[in-house]
Amino acid sequence: DTGVSQNPRHKITKRGQNVTFRCDPISEHNRLYWYRQTLGQGPEFLTYFQNEAQLEKSRLLSDRFSAERPKGSFSTLEIQRTEQGDSAMYLCASSLDPGLAEKFFGPGTRLTVL
Amino acid sequence: GQQVMQIPQYQHVQEGEDFTTYCNSSTTLSNIQWYKQRPGGHPVFLIQLVKSGEVKKQKRLTFQFGEAKKNSSLHITATQTTDVGTYFCAGGSSNTGKLIFGQGTTLQVKP
């Protein structure tokens, strides 16, 4: 399968715990995006990378959220000290340059914070 | 900041009826992309519009981009049960590729 993959697909955690999600983009795609989607809403932009450089972070992204893409391939999104309000689907998408290119979304990681 | 609004939120139609969803942006868009998300699935790219007044067709789907590049619409002719899902418009940045999504329109089709 050459699409975008995300792991884990589901994560249940207790409030206050740290969680980390992984995204493997399509191999030749140099742009990688993280979005968050809650029920009944459209995906909400969190951050994006061009190769290994993190070029933009949403103002909605608190200091508890951090993302990396160390070698310009896979990316990780970590949430520290999770809160119930963090419960959502976390989607990863990748694309080619330029910015106008279509985005290929992964299946998402559904986070439930108890 | 930029906001993208989409209406209606829900639409129930009888199979064979037409369907339209409308998208409006608070600012002029570089481009607009449309995605479809099936229940339990992830967004899948449908099309991108870049030029003012652009109209594109994909079989029974017709996409339009407004002259002022601040609004767009998706029209489905003679809906089928396979059209069920949520349709999102998303305003794009030509520099970053970041997308600002609307809330989506969920289409239900009764056979």
Side-chain angles (χ1 to χ4, degrees):
Chain A
D1 187 348
T2 57
V4 178
S5 62
Q6 291 186 246
N7 288 288
R9 295 291 306 276
H10 303 272
K11 179 70 176 178
I12 299 174
T13 191
K14 292 182 179 179
R15 189 177 51 174
Q17 298 294 306
N18 299 344
V19 295
T20 300
F21 310 141
R22 176 177 169 129
C23 170
D24 287 88
I26 293 172
S27 58
E28 63 268 27
H29 286 185
N30 55 1
R31 294 192 180 213
L32 187 148
Y33 303 82
W34 284 99
Y35 287 84
R36 176 173 62 191
Q37 186 176 28
T38 54
L39 197 62
Q41 300 297 316
E44 175 187 41
F45 172 78
L46 294 178
T47 188
Y48 100 96
F49 293 83
Q50 184 167 335
N51 300 313
E52 65 277 6
Q54 187 174 18
L55 297 185
E56 187 172 342
K57 287 175 64 173
S58 168
R59 288 170 295 173
L60 301 173
L61 212 62
S62 77
D63 291 342
R64 297 184 297 107
F65 288 72
S66 62
E68 293 183 339
R69 195 183 182 195
K71 297 182 180 179
S73 55
F74 73 92
S75 176
T76 58
L77 177 68
E78 180 182 18
I79 309 174
Q80 295 182 328
R81 305 180 304 282
T82 52
E83 302 172 357
Q84 288 186 323
D86 297 331
S87 296
M89 177 72 84
Y90 289 84
L91 294 163
C92 174
S94 70
S95 72
L96 291 165
D97 273 331
L100 293 180
E102 68 178 275
K103 309 297 180 286
F104 293 82
F105 281 85
T109 295
R110 180 167 295 284
L111 173 65
T112 302
V113 182
L114 302 176
Chain B
Q2 181 184 37
Q3 287 189 318
V4 176
M5 307 297 292
Q6 211 173 332
I7 56 169
Q9 188 174 3
Y10 298 100
Q11 186 81 54
H12 296 253
V13 300
Q14 198 73 39
E15 189 172 22
E17 292 182 338
D18 292 356
F19 160 76
T20 304
T21 173
Y22 301 91
C23 182
N24 287 284
S25 170
S26 57
T27 59
T28 301
L29 299 169
S30 298
N31 67 87
I32 196 156
Q33 297 185 1
W34 284 89
Y35 289 79
K36 177 182 179 181
Q37 187 171 25
R38 294 183 184 275
H42 56 275
V44 175
F45 176 83
L46 293 176
I47 208 158
Q48 177 174 267
L49 304 170
V50 178
K51 299 177 183 175
S52 168
E54 190 170 14
V55 178
K56 287 188 176 180
K57 292 189 175 185
Q58 288 181 350
K59 297 182 181 179
R60 295 178 294 105
L61 277 61
T62 302
F63 303 84
Q64 291 188 312
F65 201 8
E67 294 290 341
K69 299 184 73 173
K70 294 180 73 173
N71 58 75
S72 181
S73 65
L74 158 59
H75 179 83
I76 302 178
T77 303
T79 54
Q80 300 174 0
T81 54
T82 53
D83 296 325
V84 163
T86 301
Y87 293 85
F88 293 99
C89 64
S93 164
S94 58
N95 294 329
T96 66
K98 179 177 77 174
L99 295 175
I100 304 298
F101 281 82
Q103 306 96 310
T105 297
T106 298
L107 172 64
Q108 294 282 1
V109 180
K110 288 178 274 189

